[in-house]
């Protein structure tokens, strides 16, 4: 390896690493080390295999192969690599919302608010068909004008995704035009998530809940089901209902933990998703595709865990499928009585699933305006084996909170933070500095040090930002807000990061995106986006940069401290 680092900061996860080695089980960290050294061309976005004439590269040190066979140069290769990631992430979101809509329109469940659910379904269908121009009312006029000027306001799946996908197939689109297609697809993704959040609220209600987090939640006496990844909320609700009748425990990994009236205790975060199976306490897993490692199948077989992919639902009614899942879990529990249990004593309490409606956004805006807090940090993303699991999230949050930065989080980042007590209201004073703690006392009911705004798939961060802009009577790019993807992994996170930039929120992104082989593409993400939207996507290439150094660098921006080592500050002048 280029340098040695600890694999995880989570003690509950760490105790399984030597046990896996003793049994010859390869985990994500082992497989990553087996891939080193990584291909420099792929890592920097200078490779391509979009057709069968390749694979091709653009060699930075040779004159003979600067372009691919078709003539793509380094700039086109890099920006098209970014576009492909965004398209993939957007399609993942559309797949899930399609299953959700199908579950509602098929009558598989009765929404809590039927009228609102019909409106939400109609809006989603309209967005995918023609971009839903009516959505423009939900955004500030200046933001809409910037999107229209750049030609990135979504126009529907056919005009956005289909057309954008053809930019990697051929044509003579410039790097700038290709980047705008990526931004357009990213906004379609963000709009879909916003509408999906509305559908979730109509179908299940919208109340935050206290949930238990980490592998200690697996200590039940009966059968245990763990839901892995994103899939239809309707199916999840059906499984929960069937399980409740049989007193079967249902927990989750990389899945929405709050789905009223049910909660699915997060067992762990993305990077250690294989380890719950090694506890011996998981009898059956239901797996979607998104955020699920294929390695689960082999480890499940090793520990005699039944695996039920959601794809096996085809041709079945949800109620029958859910009942069958619970019955299989009960059978597996009886069959696995001889399997030894090794459950870590690690459990934290977390308040999760908050929304802008649960917060006094006007008081938050007032605290920003009067300088009572220095700014707001959005902590997002999953885990990445290139970093010590959870350490970047926890370090950033701790340093920000001490220095007067309000922190909000979402999705798997929230789970990572929850494992260390940062989402526990009872530990608020322990983690938050006085400025943030004073604000949290008046900004909502019993708020923790870090505010979880739900899963990214439900658009909670966008709703909060829109409310904040309205309360502040300012554009988002004029407010001291930063987004931080501290250890990003999936393509959906790339799409979300670009959509935040388009909204006017400068975003730090680790690890470096595969665009660094093209200085022009990197410059467009910084300078061009700043000109168009007042925000930048900031990509750093220093693999050895410690989390504390990252926190200090970002705090320099919040504190308006000039830093000669950083040439791409999001702002040169914040209005105080």
């Amino acid at each position: 390896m280029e340098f040695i680092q600890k694999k995880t900061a989570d003690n509950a996860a760490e105790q399984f690493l030597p046990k896996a080695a003793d049994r010859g089980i390869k985990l994500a960290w082992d497989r990553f080390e087996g891939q080193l050294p990584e291909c420099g061309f792929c890592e920097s976005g200078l490779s391509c295999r979009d057709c069968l004439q390749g694979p091709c590269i653009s060699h930075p040190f040779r004159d003979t192969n600067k372009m691919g066979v078709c003539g793509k140069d380094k700039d086109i290769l890099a920006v098209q690599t970014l576009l492909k990631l965004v398209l993939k992430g957007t399609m993942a979101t559309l797949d899930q919302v399609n299953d959700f809509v199908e579950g509602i329109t098929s009558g598989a469940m009765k929404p809590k608010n039927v009228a609102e659910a019909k409106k939400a379904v109609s809006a989603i269908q309209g967005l995918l068909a023609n971009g839903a121009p009516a959505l423009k009312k939900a955004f500030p006029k200046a933001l809409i004008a910037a999107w229209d000027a750049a030609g990135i306001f979504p126009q529907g799946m056919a005009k956005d995704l289909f057309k954008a996908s053809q930019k990697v197939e051929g044509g003579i689109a410039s790097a700038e035009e290709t980047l705008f297609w990526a931004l357009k697809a990213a906004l379609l993704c963000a709009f879909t998530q916003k509408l999906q959040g509305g559908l979730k609220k109509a179908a299940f209600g919208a109340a935050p809940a206290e949930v238990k987090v980490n592998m200690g939640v697996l200590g039940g006496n009966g059968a245990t089901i763990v839901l892995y990844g994103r899939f239809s909320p309707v199916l999840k609700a059906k499984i929960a209902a069937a399980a409740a009748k049989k007193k079967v425990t249902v927990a989750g990994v990389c899945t929405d933990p709050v789905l009223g009236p049910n909660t699915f205790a997060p067992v762990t975060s993305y990077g250690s998703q294989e380890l719950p199976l090694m506890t011996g306490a998981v009898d059956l897993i239901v797996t979607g595709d998104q955020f699920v490692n294929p390695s689960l199948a082999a480890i499940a077989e090793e520990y005699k865990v039944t695996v039920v992919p959601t794809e096996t639902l085809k041709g079945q009614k949800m109620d029958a499928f859910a009942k069958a899942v619970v019955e299989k879990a009960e059978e597996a529990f009886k069959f696995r009585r001889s399997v030894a249990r090794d459950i870590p004593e690690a459990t934290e309490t977390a308040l999760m699933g908050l929304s802008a409606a649960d917060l006094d956004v006007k008081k938050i805006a007032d605290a920003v305006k009067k300088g009572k807090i220095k700014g707001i940090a959005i902590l997002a993303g999953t885990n990445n084996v290139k970093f010590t699991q959870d350490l970047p999230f926890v370090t950033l949050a701790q340093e920000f909170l001490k220095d007067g930065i309000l922190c909000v989080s979402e999705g798997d980042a929230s789970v990572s933070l929850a494992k260390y007590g940062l989402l526990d209201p009872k530990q608020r004073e322990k983690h938050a500095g006085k400025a943030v703690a004073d604000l949290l006392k008046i900004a909502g009911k019993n708020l923790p040090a870090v505010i979880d705004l739900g899963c990214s798939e439900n658009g909670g961060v966008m709703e909060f930002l829109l409310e904040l802009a309205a309360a502040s009577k300012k554009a988002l790019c004029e407010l001291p807000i930063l987004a931080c993807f501290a250890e990003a992994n999936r393509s959906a996170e790339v799409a979300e990061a670009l959509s935040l930039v388009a909204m006017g929120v400068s975003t730090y992104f680790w690890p470096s995106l595969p665009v660094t082989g093209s200085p022009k593409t990197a410059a467009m993400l910084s300078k061009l986006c700043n000109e168009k939207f007042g925000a930048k996507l900031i990509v750093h290439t220093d693999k050895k940069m410690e989390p504390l150094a990252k926190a200090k660098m970002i705090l320099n921006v919040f504190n308006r401290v000039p830093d000669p080592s950083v040439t791409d500050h999001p702002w040169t002048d914040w209005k105080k």
Side-chain angles (χ1 to χ4, degrees):
M1 293 183 67
E2 295 180 10
F3 61 101
I4 297 173
Q5 67 180 10
K6 192 175 181 181
K7 291 179 171 64
T8 179
D10 183 358
N11 291 332
E14 189 174 35
Q15 74 177 59
F16 287 99
L17 303 186
K19 296 173 183 178
D22 290 344
R23 294 189 65 156
I25 295 173
K26 297 293 185 182
L27 300 173
W29 295 282
D30 304 307
R31 295 190 294 273
F32 170 64
E33 290 172 0
Q35 291 292 328
L36 297 174
E38 294 180 298
C39 171
F41 294 105
C42 296
E43 193 175 23
S44 58
L46 297 181
S47 64
C48 177
R49 62 165 316 121
D50 288 336
C51 74
L52 300 181
Q53 298 182 108
C56 296
I57 61 171
S58 175
H59 204 297
F61 307 117
R62 295 180 186 171
D63 294 329
T64 53
N65 53 345
K66 293 291 187 186
M67 295 185 178
V69 173
C70 71
K72 292 180 184 178
D73 62 17
K74 63 183 180 182
D75 300 324
I76 297 299
L77 288 176
V79 75
Q80 286 190 358
T81 300
L82 179 66
L83 173 60
K84 283 180 277 188
L85 285 169
V86 172
L87 289 171
K88 188 165 168 277
T90 301
M91 292 299 291
T93 296
L94 295 182
D95 177 63
Q96 185 188 11
V97 78
N98 181 68
D99 288 344
F100 193 1
V101 168
E102 185 178 350
I104 298 296
T105 56
S106 67
M109 72 162 285
K110 183 179 178 180
K112 193 170 183 178
N113 187 323
V114 175
E116 288 301 315
K118 286 182 178 179
K119 289 181 183 177
V121 167
S122 177
I124 291 169
Q125 292 171 337
L127 173 65
L128 300 184
N130 59 27
L135 265 179
K136 289 188 175 183
K137 297 178 183 178
F139 297 92
K141 292 181 180 179
L143 197 55
I144 295 296
W147 290 344
D148 284 341
I152 65 170
F153 189 87
Q155 294 178 285
M157 192 157 52
K159 291 185 178 179
D160 296 344
L161 299 190
F162 295 169
K163 292 292 184 183
S165 68
Q166 296 312 297
K167 300 305 168 185
V168 301
E169 186 63 24
I172 56 172
S174 66
E176 291 88 346
E177 182 184 349
T178 305
L179 175 60
F180 286 139
W181 278 106
L183 286 159
K184 192 173 189 178
L187 279 181
L188 179 67
C189 180
F191 284 18
T192 303
Q193 291 171 339
K194 180 181 185 301
L195 294 178
Q196 176 165 317
L199 181 56
K200 178 190 173 184
K201 180 180 178 180
F204 300 102
E210 279 200 353
V211 297
K212 298 297 182 182
V213 180
N214 218 338
M215 284 191 259
V217 304
L218 295 173
N221 296 320
T224 297
I225 297 170
V226 178
L227 309 180
Y228 271 82
R230 296 179 178 179
F231 54 87
S232 171
V234 178
L235 178 57
K236 288 169 61 177
K238 294 290 185 181
I239 293 172
K245 293 178 182 178
K246 298 289 186 177
K247 296 182 179 180
V248 171
T249 299
V250 185
V253 174
C254 296
T255 200
D256 190 345
V258 182
L259 195 66
N262 304 296
T263 60
F264 307 99
V267 183
T268 193
S269 49
Y270 177 89
S272 48
Q273 65 176 269
E274 299 158 323
L275 304 185
L277 304 185
M278 295 178 63
T279 64
V282 179
D283 301 298
L284 180 145
I285 62 174
V286 180
T287 63
D289 293 321
Q290 299 174 38
F291 296 87
V292 177
N293 285 345
S295 61
L296 288 180
I299 297 176
E301 184 178 2
E302 177 78 15
Y303 286 87
K304 302 176 182 178
V305 178
T306 303
V307 180
V308 181
T310 56
E311 284 301 303
T312 58
L313 173 63
K314 290 179 179 178
Q316 299 183 55
K317 291 187 176 181
M318 283 193 187
D319 288 303
F321 181 82
K323 183 180 179 182
V325 165
V326 173
E327 289 174 352
K328 287 181 180 181
E330 291 180 308
E331 292 171 5
F333 176 70
K334 295 174 184 176
F335 175 74
R336 300 177 70 255
R337 288 185 184 274
S338 61
V339 177
R341 291 192 168 203
D342 183 8
I343 305 170
E345 294 182 2
T347 308
E348 293 285 351
T349 299
L351 181 63
M352 305 188 81
L354 290 151
S355 69
D358 301 306
L359 305 172
D360 193 329
V361 179
K362 289 184 179 179
K363 288 182 178 177
I364 296 174
D366 187 63
V368 173
K369 180 181 179 180
K370 294 180 178 178
K372 293 180 179 179
I373 60 170
K374 297 176 181 178
I376 300 171
I378 302 166
L379 301 173
T382 53
N383 293 138
N384 190 309
V385 291
K386 295 180 178 181
F387 309 101
T388 299
Q389 184 193 20
D390 299 337
L391 187 60
F393 287 125
V394 175
T395 302
L396 291 177
Q398 289 175 336
E399 295 302 309
F400 292 168
L401 291 168
K402 286 190 297 185
D403 205 8
I405 309 300
L406 178 67
C407 294
V408 300
S409 63
E410 63 170 14
D412 216 45
S414 292
V415 177
S416 286
L417 293 164
K419 289 190 287 181
Y420 305 88
L422 286 151
L423 269 63
D424 184 355
K426 292 180 180 179
Q427 298 186 48
R428 178 176 66 202
E429 307 302 323
K430 172 184 174 182
H431 296 292
K434 186 178 185 307
V436 175
D438 288 347
L439 174 59
L440 291 170
K441 290 174 185 176
I442 63 171
K445 185 179 179 181
N446 200 29
L447 296 177
V450 178
I451 299 170
D452 168 56
L453 293 173
C455 280
S456 59
E457 64 200 65
N458 297 315
V461 168
M462 176 184 275
E463 287 293 340
F464 170 73
L465 291 173
L466 292 174
E467 291 283 344
L468 187 65
S472 303
K473 296 181 180 179
K474 287 186 177 182
L476 289 171
C477 62
E478 295 177 312
L479 296 172
I481 308 171
L482 273 173
C484 303
F485 288 76
E487 43 177 320
N489 183 327
R490 314 306 300 176
S491 55
E493 296 157 61
V494 181
E496 184 180 4
L498 272 186
S499 70
L500 285 168
V501 171
M503 288 186 68
V505 177
S506 284
T507 300
Y508 284 87
F509 200 93
W510 285 279
S512 62
L513 285 166
V515 298
T516 54
S518 166
K520 180 176 181 178
T521 301
M524 287 193 303
L525 291 172
S526 179
K527 295 178 182 178
L528 180 62
C529 287
N530 193 45
E531 291 171 4
K532 296 292 184 180
F533 316 113
K536 305 177 181 182
L537 184 62
I538 303 161
V539 179
H540 284 274
T541 59
D542 185 356
K543 298 179 182 180
K544 299 181 182 181
M545 194 175 190
E546 292 293 332
L548 270 173
K550 294 176 182 178
K552 181 180 178 181
M553 176 182 68
I554 296 169
L555 282 171
N556 279 342
V557 179
F558 278 120
N559 287 306
R560 288 76 163 173
V561 175
D563 186 346
S565 68
V566 180
T567 58
D568 53 1
H569 276 306
W571 303 272
T572 55
D573 179 34
W574 258 337
K575 295 180 181 179
K576 297 184 180 180

